[in-house]
Amino acid sequence: AADTTAELVKPNSPPVKLPANAGEATIARMDKIRYCKGPIPTADLRRELQVNMQKYAPVYRNADDLLKGKDVIDGIMKKYKDVGISDRSMVWNTDLI
């Protein structure tokens, strides 16, 4: 990363100009997630995803498990629309990680 930065950023170069609304879409997306009121707690969804990733995409993989795992993970990700956030704070909020 440092080598790339040294190549791209020259001494005394002007700072990059950002649009006035830079980051607003990201903040809006974060707020949309932060105020979700679905029935599935983030911890449950996270745990289900973790268990299935360990089962179907471990360090030593094979094509059959990866193929099945893709379908399983796709099913889990469809549940994301029903996630609910109980902690809406912005400090050390593991629901949002």
Side-chain angles (χ1 to χ4, degrees):
D3 290 338
T4 301
T5 301
E7 288 176 22
L8 297 175
V9 180
K10 301 300 177 201
N12 300 317
S13 62
V16 174
K17 299 286 185 196
L18 296 174
N21 66 346
E24 286 181 11
T26 302
I27 291 170
R29 182 173 171 247
M30 179 79 158
D31 276 346
K32 181 180 175 185
I33 294 168
R34 193 165 65 130
Y35 291 101
C36 287
K37 296 181 180 176
I40 302 174
T42 55
D44 293 353
L45 197 60
R46 185 182 306 118
R47 179 73 177 144
E48 185 178 0
L49 182 61
Q50 178 184 2
V51 166
N52 283 288
M53 288 294 293
Q54 290 171 345
K55 183 175 181 179
Y56 295 109
V59 173
Y60 300 105
R61 304 173 182 140
N62 64 61
D64 292 337
D65 282 349
L66 288 173
L67 191 59
K68 179 161 177 46
K70 181 192 177 305
D71 293 336
V72 171
I73 299 304
D74 285 346
I76 294 169
M77 293 309 291
K78 287 178 182 171
K79 295 178 184 180
Y80 186 74
K81 66 178 175 37
D82 294 323
V83 76
I85 305 292
S86 57
D87 180 359
R88 295 187 181 3
S89 70
M90 295 294 283
V91 178
W92 197 255
N93 186 342
T94 57
D95 269 354
L96 297 176
I97 296 176

